[in-house]
Amino acid sequence: MSGFKMLAEPLKMGPVEIKNRFIVSAMVMNCCNEDGTATEKYIAYHEEKAKGGWGLIVTEDYAVDKNGRTYQYLPGLWCDEQIASHKELTDRVHKAGAKIYAQIFHGGRQTEEWIIGQQVWAPSPIPCPVKKALPHEMTTKEVDQMIEKFGDAALRAKKAGFDGVQIHGAHGYLVCEFASSYSNKRVDKYGGNLMNRMRFPVEIVKNIRKKCGPDFAIDYKISGEERTQGGTNIEDTKAMAVMLEEAGIDSLNVSVAVYETWYMQVPPAVMGHGWLADYAREIKSVVDIPVTTVGRINDPYVAESIIRSGKADACYMGRASLADPYLPKKALEGQCEDIITCIGCLQGCTGKIDAGFHGQCTLNPRTVMEDEISLVPAEIKKNIYVAGGGPAGAQAAIVLAQRGHQVTLFEKSDRLGGMYATAAVPPWKGEISSFIVWQRFQLEKLGVTVRYNTPLTAERVEADRPDTVVAATGSRPWVPDFPGKDREFVVSAVDLLNGKLMTEGKVAVIGGGMVGSETANYLAGHGCEVTIIEMADDIAKEEPGNMKRFLMESFREHGVGIYTDTKVMSVEADRTVIGKQNENQMVMGPFDYVVTAVGMRSVQTLRDELANTQVELVCVGDAKCAKNALEAIRDGYMTALKI
């Protein structure tokens, strides 16, 4: 089993036995109908994971009440009319070999009135510090009725074919709100001491068991700590776990945080792998039921070691399943080099969801597109040249080869990756390299000829006459035309990160976008005294919020100076930078070095040279226009499907 003897073992969770210990955690993908029914997109997305070998799939939040949704397009089990569409989901997942739980929840105060059409509900009239809506304080009768709604939703889940439910008692949603003195200030039977605060979740468990019987699994998701002032800590949670076990749950999944500490719920690359496993170990010390862990577990070796250490009985690997739905199958068959490893970038998953779209994955364009994208053999096999081995070009070459084309990739440097390899240099970004290595392995496996240190030229195209040329020539740094930009101490961030030079002392970074900010963090970590100069009103706007929080903390720790709303007018011979801020001229420095990180521009030389020839030419990635990694990889993939 390739070293994964624990992951390969079955696990009994109450009445349900899962075939292995790979579990998909609940993740909002925002792709159901607004009435809570399942779409083909939603079903195909889960079905793909089942085909990939996951033992258990836990779906995203099924609302027990339409007024408990936190997003518009969540699934629901608040009425019988929703059962049929979700029955198709469970039938297809079961046929593919996995067990499936419905995570049931109510958003409580952590939703918004425009989504649910009424005032938000909570145990007490205390706003969520993030959502900032004044809640309706639920009456005792309303609390009693909500318990019944949870039980009714669980019964509908059973009728829909789910193997069990996961009660979402974590992350600051309604069940969690009742359990915590941070959000529950009631003085009736549902407030006050721990026993009373836990009455709501305990009665929900009992109600579900009464309505669904002993052959239906009940899992409970809990925050090991809320990480807020006055919130629950691990000792509180251990006591809660004992009470929940006595109430009749079959297993516990241990997470952390509430919306106020939301950056921990979906930890970015900054945070360590399996960083919550110790919380699970603490819970395991007081209960006899299976306890599972979650939290940036993106590698089967890490998951295996957590289970072997006794910290948890199984591992939830949510975003890992987005990057590669076939991770378990590949791991257990000894094909780890074929696994696409999640890099914790948050661009496609939380980034797209927070922007109002359905979820995506930067590294896997098929994620949540399984119903639309099929990789089928090409009807006409072609001889195709790909110019450029960055993420878009390499992705295009992989898909073209998978479809049966003869592919030759030309890369002007001695390695793949392009600007994406450069992006792996700053702190917390090193895992980007794993995707470049995956692309290299796939190209070798597929028999793609890769010619390093060989740029593709128009002359070679004219001489060889390939059927198609894919221009993936990428982008290059762009520097605005200000006086002094060519001075010897003015250098580009790309050259710096690529190891072509070294800076020290006082350094100004012109440009506070993603590249500039991460370069500044890199320099500060290497002992430089750094100042960022940015024209816009804020820096790092492209960074996902979870990442930006840690980036700003690092800047404060290293004393990085930040000038926003500041345009660079010139770089002087005395090493000062002249800028204009709100019509006021200012002199900054002197600096030992000035690093430019203003932007990128497409390299379109090959495209222009081949524009008037007979060769079929397509452009992908930055060769069209400068893109982020998600857009570039997706463009390379989708373009290759059409050739």
Side-chain angles (χ1 to χ4, degrees), residues 294-603:
V294 69
R296 230 172 91 67
I297 304 171
N298 66 347
D299 188 292
Y301 284 102
V302 173
E304 175 75 14
S305 67
I306 289 171
I307 299 171
R308 287 195 189 193
S309 71
K311 292 183 178 182
D313 295 296
C315 291
Y316 280 61
M317 303 173 71
R319 285 174 292 164
S321 76
L322 299 182
D324 198 332
Y326 286 82
L327 183 153
K329 184 177 176 64
K330 293 174 181 178
L332 296 179
E333 292 179 357
Q335 299 172 348
C336 287
E337 286 187 297
D338 283 316
I339 294 172
I340 306 173
T341 302
C342 169
I343 60 175
C345 68
L346 304 177
Q347 283 185 315
C349 45
T350 60
K352 288 296 182 180
I353 291 294
D354 291 344
F357 302 100
H358 63 67
Q360 296 180 19
C361 176
T362 297
L363 309 184
N364 184 359
R366 282 200 76 232
T367 296
V368 200
M369 294 287 285
E370 294 86 356
D371 62 321
E372 300 180 41
I373 297 177
S374 295
L375 205 157
V376 297
E379 292 183 7
I380 301 174
K381 306 300 190 291
K382 296 182 177 181
N383 177 27
I384 300 176
Y385 281 6
V386 177
Q395 193 67 48
I398 290 166
V399 175
L400 289 167
Q402 288 172 332
R403 297 184 60 225
H405 295 295
Q406 180 182 333
V407 184
T408 304
L409 189 151
F410 295 82
E411 168 53 43
K412 65 180 181 181
S413 73
D414 62 352
R415 66 197 67 186
L416 299 177
M419 289 299 172
Y420 210 34
T422 305
V425 175
W428 309 320
K429 298 291 183 147
E431 286 180 274
I432 287 174
S433 298
S434 68
F435 182 68
I436 300 170
V437 171
W438 176 84
Q439 288 189 319
R440 178 182 58 77
F441 181 75
Q442 297 308 308
L443 292 169
E444 292 174 359
K445 184 178 176 181
L446 291 164
V448 174
T449 300
V450 181
R451 296 183 178 175
Y452 293 105
N453 300 307
T454 309
L456 181 61
T457 63
E459 290 75 18
R460 180 182 287 272
V461 172
E462 285 291 325
D464 294 353
R465 296 285 180 177
D467 298 308
T468 304
V469 171
V470 177
T473 44
S475 57
R476 63 166 65 96
W478 173 79
V479 181
D481 190 18
F482 55 79
K485 72 173 186 177
D486 296 322
R487 298 189 188 279
E488 72 280 358
F489 56 88
V490 179
V491 300
S492 80
V494 171
D495 285 346
L496 174 70
L497 295 175
N498 283 340
K500 294 182 178 179
L501 54 95
M502 182 174 178
T503 60
E504 56 186 358
K506 295 183 177 181
V507 182
V509 177
I510 300 176
M514 182 181 288
V515 175
S517 294
E518 291 180 358
T519 301
N521 194 39
Y522 168 83
L523 290 166
H526 283 74
C528 296
E529 185 179 330
V530 182
T531 299
I532 299 173
I533 307 170
E534 168 58 40
M535 285 183 61
D537 59 357
D538 195 11
I539 66 168
K541 287 187 174 184
E542 307 99 324
E543 290 278 7
N546 295 18
M547 285 291 291
K548 185 174 179 179
R549 182 187 187 280
F550 287 97
L551 191 63
M552 298 308 292
E553 278 187 1
S554 180
F555 288 163
R556 287 190 289 270
E557 177 185 343
H558 289 100
V560 173
I562 300 173
Y563 292 92
T564 56
D565 295 309
T566 304
K567 181 179 181 180
V568 172
M569 306 305 293
S570 65
V571 176
E572 302 298 310
D574 63 359
R575 297 178 180 264
T576 58
V577 176
I578 309 300
K580 182 184 287 187
Q581 185 181 66
N582 300 324
E583 302 306 318
N584 298 316
Q585 183 168 298
M586 55 196 305
V587 179
M588 295 163 283
F591 300 103
D592 295 296
Y593 291 91
V594 175
V595 177
T596 58
V598 179
M600 308 295 290
R601 293 293 184 270
S602 296
V603 176

Side-chain angles (χ1 to χ4, degrees), residues 58 61-62 64 101-106 150-151 154 164-170 173-176 200-209 217-223 244 248-253:
V58 182
D61 312 317
Y62 274 73
V64 303
Y101 289 179
Q103 184 185 77
I104 56 175
F105 95 125
H106 187 291
F150 270 88
V165 291
Q166 181 183 80
I167 301 167
H168 201 333
Y173 296 119
L174 187 66
V175 177
C176 182
F200 182 60
V202 164
E203 290 302 318
I204 287 174
V205 173
K206 292 179 177 179
N207 194 279
I208 293 172
R209 184 63 73 207
I218 304 175
D219 183 70
Y220 193 98
K221 190 179 187 75
I222 198 166
S223 287
L244 290 164
I249 65 169
D250 297 302
S251 53
L252 264 168
N253 176 234

